[in-house]
Amino acid sequence: MTTTRFHAPERLDEAIRLLAADDEARPLAGGQTLVAMLNADLLSPSQIISLHRIAALKGIEKRSDGSVRIGAMTTHAGLARSDVLRDGHRLLAQAAGRIGHEAIRNRGTIGGAVAHGDPSADYPPALVALDAVIEAVGPKGKREIPASDFFQGFLTTALGQGEIVAAIILPPSLNQARTHYEKFARVEGDFATVSVAVALWRGGVRIALGGVGPVPVRSAEAEAELQAGQLSDAAINDAGALLVAASDPLDDVRGSADYRRRLIPRLVKRAIRAAQAKDAR
Amino acid sequence: MSNEKITITVNGKRYDKEVEPRRLLSDFIRDDLRLTGTHVGCEHGVCGSCTVLMNGKSVRSCLTFAVMADGAEIMTIEGLGTAENMHPLQKGFWEKHGLQCGFCTPGMLMTAVELLKEKPRPSVDEIREALSGNLCRCTGYQTIVESIQRGAEIMQGGK
Ligand SMILES: Cc1cc2nc3c(=O)[nH]c(=O)nc-3n(C[C@H](O)[C@H](O)[C@H](O)COP(=O)(O)OP(=O)(O)OC[C@H]3O[C@@H](n4cnc5c(N)ncnc54)[C@H](O)[C@@H]3O)c2cc1C
Ligand code: FES
Ligand code: FES
C-alpha cells in the first residue's frame, strides 16, 4: 500500500492551504465514494485531508432572507430528517432520503456527493431544479457558483485546484414552489436509471433530469410549453418529448439509452402530478 | 509511514492503538482486535456484511477509516449478545431460520438493530427497504424478514 499522510485540520483555511500546496492531496468527507475508490486502487493520494473537524462546514441554517445554507459536511441522513427544509425546499430532503441505504446516508455528505459530480446521483438534478448555489472556497477566496454551471460533465465540476465545496445555498424564492423528486431505480438504494426533479410556482416551472446525460438535463422549451399550457396533459406530453430530445442518455447496467428515453415522459408526468398534489402556497 | 494514534471503544472496551491512515475500520476490527464476526464481502459498500454501529448509527466499516472512528463508540456483532444470552433479534433469527451460511448475518443483525430503534414495529415493506443494502446469497430473504419481525415481537415483550 502506498504511504498516505493524514490530516484532520480544524480550520478551513488550513485545509485549503494543504490542498492547494499538493495536487496529489485529496479531501475526505464521508468516504462513501473516496474510500471505495481507494479500496479498488483507482487512486493513490499522497495525503488525505479529512474535513470532519471543520466547524465552518457543518450545520443547516435558515438565514434572515429565507435562504437556507447547508454546510458541506451535512450527511444525507441529516438532510433527509432536517426540519429546516420546508415547503419547496423539501425536494432536497426527499432526494437525500433516496440515496443508497441508511448506512451510506449516515456517513455520506452533500459536499462529497456534489464534488464528485456523478450525473446519476440524486443531488445534481435536485439542486438544479431548486436553482441552488454552490459556495466554493479555495486559495483565492470564496465564490458562489449556480448549480446549473457547477456540473460540467461526467464527474467534472467547476471546482479548481485546492478548491472545496463549503456549502450549498437554497434561494428563498423556490421555497414557495410545489416540488417533487421522482427517482426510478432498479432496486431500492441503487443509483437512478432516470430521476426527475420538478419545481412549480405561479411564475414558472423548472425541471431537471438525472441519469440521462453527462450533467442534469433541462429544456427551456419544455418549461415554456408547460407554463403556457398550464400543465395540461397535452402540454406535459409535449414537454416530455422536448426533454427526451434534450437528453443524451447512455446504455449501461441501469438501462439502455432507449429505455431511458421511454422512461422520461412517464416520470416527468408522474413528478408534475405529484408536485401538484402538494399543498399550494 | 506515519501512524496515527487512536482511541476507540468497541463493545464497551476501550482500545488505544496506532493505525496506518488508510487502515479500514473493518480490517482494524477483524485483524487488530481479532473480532472476526464482522465480515467483509465487497469492500465497496454494496454488500452490507461489514455493517457495524458507530455512535449508534449503522456504517459500512469497509468505507470508514479507523482514524475516522477515533473517539467513537463502535458496536459489532460480538457486542450484541452471546450464545447464552442472545439479543431478541438473534433469537428471532434462531427461531425463524434467518441464516444458512451465516456470512451476511452480522450485517443483517446490525442493520436490523438500527431499524428497530427507529421503528419498533416495522412493516414488511419497511424491513425490506432497510435490508436493501444487505445482500444474502442463501436464504432468499423471506426468513430474514420473518426473523426480524419475530425479533421485534420479542423486544415488545412477546414470548
Ligand atoms: C452502496 C452505495 C450506494 C450509493 N447510492 C447512491 C445513490 O443512490 N444516489 C447517490 O446520489 N449517491 C449514491 N452513493 C454515493 C454517495 O452519495 C456518496 O456519499 C457521495 O457520492 C460521496 O459523498 P462522501 O461525503 O462520502 O464523499 P467522499 O467519498 O469523502 O468524497 C467524494 C469525492 O469528493 C471529494 N470531496 C469530498 N468532500 C469534498 C468537498 N467538500 N469539497 C470538494 N471535494 C470534496 C473527495 O476528494 C472525493 O473525490 C452510493 C454510495 C454507495 C457506497
Ligand atoms: S464489505 Fe463493506 S459493504 Fe461489502
Ligand atoms: S445466509 Fe448465506 S449469505 Fe445470507
Side-chain angles (χ1 to χ4, degrees):
Chain A
M1 191 187 280
T2 45
T3 320
T4 309
R5 273 177 301 144
F6 180 83
H7 300 275
E10 284 180 11
R11 294 177 53 97
L12 183 56
D13 52 5
E14 174 71 359
I16 302 293
R17 195 185 57 75
L18 289 164
L19 288 165
D22 176 2
D23 59 11
E24 299 288 310
R26 279 271 178 162
L28 170 69
Q32 302 305 289
T33 295
L34 185 60
V35 179
M37 289 170 86
L38 294 172
N39 289 348
D41 265 336
L42 296 174
L43 288 172
S44 56
S46 56
Q47 307 185 59
I48 289 172
I49 316 297
S50 177
L51 307 177
H52 74 288
R53 293 210 172 111
I54 304 174
L57 302 180
K58 294 184 187 169
I60 309 176
E61 174 204 357
K62 184 143 203 165
R63 301 191 294 189
S64 55
D65 64 354
S67 64
V68 173
R69 185 179 184 280
I70 301 161
M73 290 300 283
T74 304
T75 61
H76 311 325
L79 205 49
R81 295 201 177 95
S82 168
D83 53 17
V84 182
L85 296 181
R86 292 185 180 275
D87 303 311
H89 291 160
R90 294 298 306 161
L91 171 61
L92 194 63
Q94 222 187 343
R98 297 297 309 275
I99 295 176
H101 319 286
E102 190 67 6
I104 305 297
R105 294 190 290 267
N106 282 337
R107 300 277 310 151
T109 68
I110 188 166
V114 164
H116 190 55
D118 186 332
S120 294
D122 293 299
Y123 290 131
L127 294 174
V128 169
L130 285 175
D131 204 12
V133 169
I134 316 299
E135 184 186 301
V137 177
K140 289 183 206 137
K142 183 160 100 176
R143 59 187 182 123
E144 294 195 343
I145 309 162
S148 42
D149 298 336
F150 183 84
F151 301 106
Q152 298 192 337
F154 180 74
L155 306 188
T156 307
T157 70
L159 288 178
Q161 167 66 34
E163 208 172 27
I164 67 162
V165 174
I168 310 296
I169 296 161
L170 304 181
S173 51
L174 288 197
N175 191 22
Q176 309 296 319
R178 284 176 292 166
T179 60
H180 184 74
Y181 184 69
E182 185 73 32
K183 174 176 182 176
F184 185 92
R186 296 174 302 172
V187 291
E188 185 64 39
D190 194 10
F191 281 88
T193 303
V194 177
S195 67
V196 181
V198 36
L200 311 172
W201 66 100
R202 211 166 297 146
V205 177
R206 271 174 90 94
I207 296 185
L209 308 181
V212 293
V215 295
V217 169
R218 274 182 77 193
S219 158
E221 296 81 9
E223 290 171 8
E225 182 70 34
L226 288 165
Q227 175 72 1
Q230 298 182 356
L231 307 177
S232 67
D233 281 346
I236 293 178
N237 289 343
D238 290 347
L242 288 162
L243 280 159
V244 171
S247 72
D248 183 17
L250 295 176
D251 295 321
D252 70 14
V253 291
R254 298 190 176 88
S256 66
D258 186 49
Y259 180 55
R260 288 181 154 99
R261 280 190 282 265
R262 286 161 188 256
L263 280 174
I264 292 170
R266 289 164 176 77
L267 295 176
V268 165
K269 182 162 194 177
R270 211 185 273 176
I272 291 175
R273 295 297 180 227
Q276 283 181 299
K278 294 182 187 174
D279 290 341
R281 294 224 343 149
Chain B
M1 183 145 353
S2 64
N3 280 350
E4 299 288 318
K5 283 195 175 60
I6 59 170
T7 301
I8 300 188
T9 305
V10 181
N11 303 328
K13 189 171 166 198
R14 193 185 131 135
Y15 297 89
D16 294 290
K17 294 265 184 188
E18 276 193 23
V19 291
E20 202 271 336
R22 282 180 55 176
R23 185 79 167 156
L24 298 177
L25 182 60
S26 48
D27 293 336
F28 175 80
I29 289 169
R30 287 178 55 83
D31 300 339
D32 296 358
L33 306 187
R34 300 301 301 157
L35 295 170
T36 54
T38 299
H39 293 166
V40 174
C42 68
E43 292 200 337
H44 58 273
V46 176
C47 76
S49 64
C50 69
T51 307
V52 300
L53 301 185
M54 181 160 149
N55 299 327
K57 290 183 177 169
S58 68
V59 303
R60 298 289 198 245
S61 60
C62 76
L63 296 186
T64 306
F65 292 132
V67 279
M68 299 301 288
D70 184 22
E73 294 216 12
I74 303 290
M75 182 162 138
T76 70
I77 188 67
E78 288 88 348
L80 194 61
T82 60
E84 297 71 40
N85 187 14
M86 283 193 277
H87 184 277
L89 277 163
Q90 289 171 313
K91 283 190 193 144
F93 273 67
W94 173 267
E95 286 178 26
K96 297 288 177 184
H97 308 286
L99 60 143
Q100 289 180 25
C101 80
F103 194 86
C104 68
T105 316
M108 292 284 177
L109 283 164
M110 300 320 280
T111 303
V113 169
E114 179 177 59
L115 171 69
L116 294 192
K117 240 188 288 177
E118 291 196 3
K119 298 184 178 130
R121 294 166 193 272
S123 67
V124 168
D125 281 353
E126 286 170 335
I127 295 174
R128 288 191 173 272
E129 188 181 329
L131 297 183
S132 65
N134 293 71
L135 303 184
C136 176
R137 299 288 76 190
C138 305
T139 63
Y141 302 100
Q142 188 56 38
T143 56
I144 298 182
V145 174
E146 287 164 13
S147 301
I148 293 173
Q149 284 180 303
R150 178 69 187 128
E153 206 174 273
I154 300 172
M155 277 175 97
Q156 300 286 315
K159 291 250 164 66

